[in-house]
Amino acid sequence: MGAVIMHNVMSVDGFIADDEDGVGPLHDWYFNGDTPLTETDDPDYDHSEGAGGFRLSKTSAEYVRPLWNSIGVIVMGRHFFDLMNGWDGHPPTGDHVVVVSHRPKPEGWHPEASYHFVDDPIAAVAKARELAGDRIVSVAAGEVGAQILAAGLVDEVAIDVVPVVFGSGKRYFGSIGGMHRLGEPHVVVQGEGVLHLRFRMRP
């Protein structure tokens, strides 16, 4: 069974978006280099349908590419889904998306897309693991990610830290309560305008 990794880009003061859901310069590093995210630089993998259009530094591309290629399922909250309109049925990576929501999938919304709506975070992870098989389940950080982490279902925390201070906004770890200990970072990669970190959860 693949690992469950909580993942997002974050400001140095711990925010994944501002109070109005704006990301400001958090994603600038996806476009500040000359290395495409796909090894073949597939022209059909355009920005409207995935990760095309991204031009990262060589160092970041070498870190992000194998991680994204290993993801089978993305787990996200309904707010994120609504904000992005579910990437119009074309997630940037993975074959399936599980949305934690008490509301069903919008009627008529991309029936061909493998999007599953589950009303409980724990059940969402179980569904994602079933769909992912041996591949990674990527859990979007924020409130839903924090609930999944608090339930002890996260194996690793992956953070792309950008050198900007937001001051307020949507927190990477949401409104999680209590202390949760992470191990020493087992991945530390310095890109251009971003620091990639991965931590395993302590048992």
Side-chain angles (χ1 to χ4, degrees):
M1 186 174 293
V4 176
I5 298 181
M6 185 175 171
H7 183 209
N8 234 95
V9 183
M10 185 184 81
S11 67
V12 291
D13 56 342
F15 297 101
I16 58 176
D18 64 23
D19 294 308
E20 304 301 322
D21 292 313
V23 296
L26 287 182
H27 293 173
D28 287 357
W29 61 274
Y30 280 116
F31 308 97
N32 69 0
D34 55 11
T35 306
L37 191 52
T38 54
E39 292 185 63
T40 58
D41 200 12
D42 184 351
D44 293 329
Y45 199 41
D46 64 44
H47 188 54
S48 64
E49 296 190 354
F54 289 178
R55 290 293 185 273
L56 293 70
S57 69
K58 184 174 183 293
T59 300
S60 286
E62 289 175 348
Y63 166 77
V64 173
R65 187 182 292 148
L67 175 60
W68 280 32
N69 287 343
S70 66
I71 291 170
V73 182
I74 294 173
V75 177
M76 64 194 304
R78 183 58 182 257
H79 180 69
F80 189 17
F81 171 85
D82 289 341
L83 191 66
M84 302 297 296
N85 192 33
W87 301 290
D88 294 319
H90 299 276
T93 185
D95 299 318
H96 314 275
V97 175
V98 178
V99 182
V100 180
S101 175
H102 294 294
R103 291 177 284 138
K105 180 164 65 174
E107 188 173 352
W109 185 88
H110 296 287
E112 78 288 352
S114 183
Y115 280 57
H116 307 263
F117 286 64
V118 180
D119 65 2
D120 175 78
I122 295 173
V125 171
K127 180 64 176 178
R129 281 177 160 160
E130 173 191 327
L131 292 167
D134 293 333
R135 300 178 73 192
I136 286 173
V137 172
S138 176
V139 175
E143 291 298 337
V144 167
Q147 291 174 49
I148 293 169
L149 186 145
L153 299 177
V154 171
D155 299 306
E156 291 186 37
V157 172
I159 307 175
D160 302 313
V161 184
V162 173
V164 60
V165 174
F166 272 26
S168 66
K170 309 296 175 65
R171 293 191 175 278
Y172 183 99
F173 291 101
S175 53
I176 195 169
M179 180 183 292
H180 300 269
R181 300 285 300 274
L182 282 62
E184 293 295 317
H186 66 98
V187 175
V188 180
V189 175
Q190 184 174 339
E192 294 180 19
V194 62
L195 179 64
H196 307 288
L197 301 172
R198 286 175 66 175
F199 306 82
R200 292 190 181 97
M201 297 299 298
R202 289 190 180 183

